[in-house]
Amino acid sequence: FHIFSLKGFLKTRVHSPYRHQIILLARRLLLCYALYTLARVTFYVLNSHSFPGDAGHLMNDLFYGLWFDSFSVFATNSLFIVLSVLPLRMYYRNWYQAMLAARFFALNIFCLALNFIGSAYFPYIRKRSTGDLLDQLGGQSDVLNLAPAFFADHWLLVIWFLIVASV
């Protein structure tokens, strides 16, 4: 009878492997949101002199940034999401989990790195990095020659990125 009461309903647990898949996916996507938010705060801290306003404006920007991050998270992780929600028996195989983890971490660390690079380049190009940054980097043959100078100039940002990416 307690199943029909609210207290009993909240205590009732559904032991389903598929439920575990969905919860794990939700945790992984929430991690993406947290990392993108850290990247946005890093961007603001490094470039706060370019934005008038107070903490209220920052909170507003962080809130609306979640809308933008939603598109970024779901667009970049769409294949990962599909592979994570398919009710397949192989989901629990080690090789499948290793493949999912490799895809998830490689793509999200790359996107996070682009966010951090954009934070460093904002004072020079006066806008958030988009595909323009990739076009500029792709058209240059001396990117590998410029990388050490970037790391030297923005060493603290590189260390912060490594800390955030290691989460």
Side-chain angles (χ1 to χ4, degrees), residues 7-154:
K7 184 177 178 182
F9 177 75
L10 293 176
K11 285 186 176 182
T12 305
R13 301 215 186 265
V14 177
H15 298 289
S16 163
Y18 188 67
R19 180 176 180 261
H20 173 69
Q21 281 179 245
I22 300 301
I23 290 172
L24 186 58
L25 174 64
R27 287 181 181 168
R28 289 173 175 169
L29 293 178
L30 285 174
L31 175 64
C32 287
Y33 277 104
L35 294 178
Y36 276 101
T37 300
L38 277 174
R40 189 173 311 283
V41 170
T42 301
F43 175 83
Y44 181 78
V45 167
L46 291 176
N47 300 296
S48 60
H49 58 277
S50 298
F51 302 103
D54 55 2
H57 284 96
L58 173 62
M59 295 308 291
N60 193 31
D61 290 344
L62 288 175
F63 174 75
Y64 286 111
L66 288 175
W67 289 104
F68 179 78
D69 291 345
S70 294
F71 175 77
S72 300
V73 166
F74 286 101
T76 57
N77 290 296
S78 57
L79 179 61
F80 173 78
I81 293 169
V82 169
L83 293 174
S84 294
V85 298
L86 290 175
L88 303 173
R89 288 183 183 251
M90 67 180 162
Y91 179 84
Y92 294 101
R93 307 242 181 198
N94 289 337
W95 66 266
Y96 193 79
Q97 285 300 312
M99 182 266 308
L100 279 179
R103 192 207 181 286
F104 177 78
F105 288 113
L107 184 61
N108 286 299
I109 287 174
F110 175 74
C111 292
L112 194 62
L114 289 179
N115 271 308
F116 277 80
I117 291 170
S119 297
Y121 274 111
F122 179 80
Y124 306 110
I125 59 177
R126 306 302 288 167
K127 64 179 183 174
R128 287 299 304 252
S129 61
T130 58
D132 299 340
L133 180 62
L134 291 176
D135 291 340
Q136 289 173 0
L137 293 177
Q140 295 180 0
S141 60
D142 60 345
V143 171
L144 293 178
N145 294 334
L146 294 175
F150 175 82
F151 291 142
D153 291 344
H154 304 287

